[in-house]
Amino acid sequence: MPRVLRGGVHDLGFEANRDHWINELRVLQAQIEKISAGGGEKAAARQKAKGKMLARERIEALLDAGTEFLELGTFAAWGMYEEWGGAPAAGVVTGLARVSGRLCVVVSNDATVKAGAWFPATCRKILRAQEIALENRLPVIYLVDSAGVFLPLQEEIFPDREHFGRVFYNNARLSAEGIYQIAAIMGSCVAGGAYLPIMSDESLIVEGTGTIFLAGSHLVQAAIGEKIDNQSLGGASVQVDISGVVDDRFPDDLAAIEHIRARMAELSHPRKTPFDRIESRAPAVSVEDTLGVVPVDRARPYDTYQLLASLLDASEFTEYKASYGKTMVCGTGRIDGWAVGIVANQRKIVQRRRGSGPRDLEMQIGGVIYTDGADKAARFVELMNQKGIPLLFLQDVTGFMVGSRSEQDGIIKDGAKLVNVVSNSVVPKITVFVGNSFGAGNYAMCGRAYGARFFYAWPSASISVMGGDQASKTLLSIQLKNRGDEVGDEEKEKLLEQIRSRYLEASQARYAAGRQWVDEIIDPRRTREIVSRSIEAASHEGDLREFRVGVLQT
């Protein structure tokens, strides 16, 4: 039977936590608004003067009335390419949209950012959008307006496996899998980038602003001496009426978007995976309580059950092996009506019984994975695959327990078993980085390398190989290894602080989002609706593959 979880006690600590995270979310929102401005007002005005809509305006026009675009990768390229003036959102807008009733992936170049040129992060972002479409069998809409590869960084985007060419490889794979792709050429579409719309199932072009060619007019003149303007070279009339490269042409952006909506409305409805869903119920605890539970000091413990109380429908949770492996919380509940299996780290200090005597108790540190917790979580993931229930991982983990007792208990064996079943899980996995995500704990709790359908981070997330204090002291000792007693205590402290500052900066959520280790930084209060949208997206996959694992050390 499910039990109803209780929220956190609204004491001074709770209120201080909530106030801190509310302020952090205000800062986050201000940064999102700045990112959404793209290349700035002047660049936007130049785009408008050409009769073109902005990237996000095009998406807004695509959306069904009353629906919301779930943007992914907003912070892509955050803090990167500063020597080139930056690349807000990596110069492309991606995410999930509902268009003519169909949930789909949208990719919209932002021509206000370096004319929509592709930075290395741009390529990674578009590849990730295609990966989401392929894994979840979602149609893709490309709104193309790009000057092609950002040439000063061409060596970081051109020849490798996950570089520019992989986009067209994915075009081919998506089409072969019967996943519909439609592209609208609304501005420049040049060189290798010209393959993207033409390898889509259908392509459109906007008259007067859209152009598509392998080489623009300047390059043509330099290469073969021919003088010609871009519209005469590869504008709408040429590529629709003469070459037949593009299917249809339209007088403006809005007309092309309306045509896309009409095409999407014609699509057959996919056979969905029958994940169980009932009528949604609000948590018994306010979602606002989510902000009060997580402490500002990431080293402080808290009760994970209080967090779950504000996430689950009616705050009801049916726990698996509640008295065993207590630093891992596993069980089932519902989010917006969807049945979900929860795998979460317990952050408070707990006790476990090691023997049969009345005093055979051991204290376990919160956020650490012990052998019994790893064993329990592995069995639970197997069970969710057996029952066909999507998995939600809530990461706040400092790693696996170390020391002689853990080694004798077989921590490596049980950790490997957990990593094995997480790797081979066939039900959709969604990962939310709540707090710490350190070392091998990141792997076991379905980090970026382990194939979750979606990865989200709260502003409180911290992702790194180990905690800041431990890492800083380790790095300092390495730096000072050959300097002996030359360095005084004051200089050591100064060096330690410099190392700690750099390390902590590199472990923050924005740093991770900038490098696309997470899909989006989200407001914790929106976790329920975002997880629900993610499960809906995953339900388009159809029949699940057979769940199998390799050799497990038992």
Side-chain angles (χ1 to χ4, degrees):
M1 289 291 292
R3 66 184 177 104
V4 178
L5 303 176
R6 295 193 300 175
V9 178
H10 288 227
D11 55 13
L12 289 177
F14 181 97
E15 300 297 338
N17 292 338
R18 186 174 63 181
D19 290 347
H20 173 85
W21 296 122
I22 286 174
N23 188 60
E24 280 293 302
L25 289 167
R26 289 195 189 103
V27 173
L28 190 76
Q29 185 57 40
Q31 291 169 339
I32 289 171
E33 289 172 5
K34 184 176 180 180
I35 290 169
S36 299
E41 292 182 7
K42 289 183 179 179
R46 287 195 296 269
Q47 178 120 329
K48 293 279 195 176
K50 296 176 183 177
K52 295 160 67 175
M53 301 169 73
L54 303 179
R56 288 178 174 81
E57 290 176 343
R58 290 166 175 165
I59 294 173
E60 193 64 32
L62 265 177
L63 292 175
D64 290 353
T67 66
E68 184 180 355
F69 179 59
L70 176 55
E71 187 166 347
L72 302 174
T74 304
F75 281 86
W78 175 263
M80 300 168 67
Y81 314 125
E82 296 300 326
E83 65 271 38
W84 309 107
V92 64
V93 184
T94 64
L96 299 180
R98 198 174 304 279
V99 179
S100 299
R102 273 68 169 180
L103 193 63
C104 61
V105 172
V106 176
V107 177
S108 180
N109 296 115
D110 186 351
T112 70
V113 180
K114 297 291 188 295
W118 289 43
F119 288 78
T122 314
C123 189
R124 288 195 296 274
K125 187 169 176 179
I126 293 174
L127 289 174
R128 174 60 179 149
Q130 291 180 318
E131 180 182 44
I132 289 170
L134 190 59
E135 287 182 333
N136 300 291
R137 300 192 64 81
L138 298 175
V140 190
I141 298 171
Y142 304 101
L143 305 179
V144 183
D145 194 347
S146 170
V149 168
F150 185 64
L151 289 177
L153 297 173
Q154 63 85 25
E155 76 279 6
E156 298 180 37
I157 192 174
F158 168 62
D160 208 349
R161 184 179 184 274
E162 298 298 324
H163 283 178
F164 198 62
R166 192 72 174 186
V167 172
F168 318 131
Y169 172 88
N170 286 342
N171 279 141
R173 290 184 62 215
L174 284 158
S175 187
E177 287 290 328
I179 300 169
Y180 178 70
Q181 301 168 89
I182 185 169
I185 303 158
M186 297 175 145
S188 297
C189 184
V190 63
Y195 287 110
L196 185 147
I198 306 312
M199 293 189 70
S200 299
D201 300 304
E202 293 191 67
S203 59
L204 325 171
I205 191 168
V206 176
E207 296 169 342
T209 57
T211 55
I212 178 170
F213 33 61
L214 290 181
S217 56
H218 295 296
L219 182 54
V220 167
Q221 184 173 357
I224 63 173
E226 181 183 2
K227 293 184 178 181
I228 189 170
D229 64 84
N230 282 339
Q231 281 295 326
S232 300
L233 182 63
S237 60
V238 173
Q239 300 293 25
V240 176
D241 303 342
I242 300 174
S243 72
V245 167
V246 180
D247 300 325
D248 293 293
R249 56 190 173 106
F250 296 88
D252 54 36
D253 285 4
L254 198 56
I257 287 168
E258 285 302 316
H259 186 76
I260 292 172
R261 288 185 49 79
R263 284 287 187 257
M264 293 295 294
E266 298 167 349
L267 294 183
S268 61
H269 291 272
R271 184 178 72 256
K272 294 187 178 181
T273 315
F275 300 126
D276 190 64
R277 191 182 193 186
I278 61 175
E279 186 176 348
S280 177
R281 293 181 294 168
V285 172
S286 171
V287 293
E288 295 289 329
D289 280 17
T290 312
L291 300 179
V293 172
V294 178
V296 178
D297 180 356
R298 300 305 306 116
R300 294 192 62 184
Y302 63 90
D303 191 346
T304 298
Y305 295 109
Q306 295 176 353
L307 204 63
L308 294 177
S310 60
L311 295 179
L312 298 175
D313 286 14
S315 303
E316 291 182 349
F317 184 56
T318 304
E319 192 163 5
Y320 175 76
K321 291 183 175 287
S323 60
Y324 175 71
K326 292 183 178 181
T327 62
M328 294 289 283
V329 176
C330 301
T332 54
R334 291 187 182 272
I335 291 180
D336 195 27
W338 294 101
V340 292
I342 305 289
V343 181
N345 304 108
Q346 174 57 287
R347 280 303 311 274
K348 72 176 185 179
I349 296 173
V350 298
Q351 291 181 334
R352 73 166 177 176
R353 187 173 297 280
R354 289 194 58 83
S356 58
R359 296 184 180 179
D360 290 337
L361 295 175
E362 177 187 52
M363 304 302 291
Q364 291 188 329
I365 303 168
V368 177
I369 302 176
Y370 291 77
T371 52
D372 52 358
D375 174 65
K376 166 178 155 178
R379 290 166 61 92
F380 180 73
V381 170
E382 289 180 299
L383 182 60
M384 293 301 97
N385 278 273
Q386 176 80 352
K387 298 171 75 172
I389 299 175
L391 283 159
L392 174 62
F393 290 83
L394 299 174
Q395 280 208 26
D396 198 341
V397 57
T398 54
F400 284 87
M401 190 59 189
V402 296
S404 59
R405 175 173 286 180
S406 290
E407 297 298 346
Q408 292 165 13
D409 285 346
I411 187 66
I412 297 175
K413 173 192 66 179
D414 288 315
K417 181 165 63 177
L418 176 55
V419 169
N420 192 316
V421 297
V422 169
S423 301
N424 286 294
S425 175
V426 297
V427 295
K429 298 170 291 190
I430 299 163
T431 299
V432 177
F433 296 91
V434 171
N436 301 321
S437 178
F438 296 160
N442 171 283
Y443 303 158
M445 292 294 293
C446 198
R448 184 69 180 87
Y450 287 83
R453 300 298 179 88
F454 298 93
F455 299 89
Y456 302 109
W458 289 0
S460 49
S462 178
I463 303 172
S464 60
V465 73
M466 64 177 73
D469 287 337
Q470 302 98 306
S472 302
K473 291 172 183 175
T474 302
L475 288 167
L476 179 65
S477 66
I478 293 170
Q479 285 191 19
L480 300 180
K481 183 177 180 180
N482 297 320
R483 296 180 63 184
D485 298 326
E486 299 175 15
V487 183
D489 290 342
E490 186 175 338
E491 186 179 352
K492 285 182 182 178
E493 190 59 37
K494 185 178 179 180
L495 285 169
L496 181 62
E497 185 53 39
Q498 290 173 350
I499 294 169
R500 183 186 292 116
S501 178
R502 289 198 303 270
Y503 192 90
L504 291 177
E505 175 64 26
S507 68
Q508 297 307 303
R510 289 168 183 79
Y511 189 94
R515 285 144 188 83
Q516 300 177 67
W517 303 338
V518 299
D519 291 319
E520 190 70 354
I521 304 173
I522 64 172
D523 184 334
R525 296 168 296 188
R526 296 192 61 203
T527 303
R528 280 171 48 80
E529 63 179 278
I530 290 171
V531 168
S532 175
R533 181 88 69 93
S534 302
I535 296 174
E536 181 189 0
S539 72
H540 288 70
E541 182 185 9
D543 296 333
L544 293 174
R545 294 174 287 112
E546 180 186 357
F547 174 61
R548 297 185 300 174
V549 295
V551 176
L552 294 178
Q553 296 290 335
T554 57

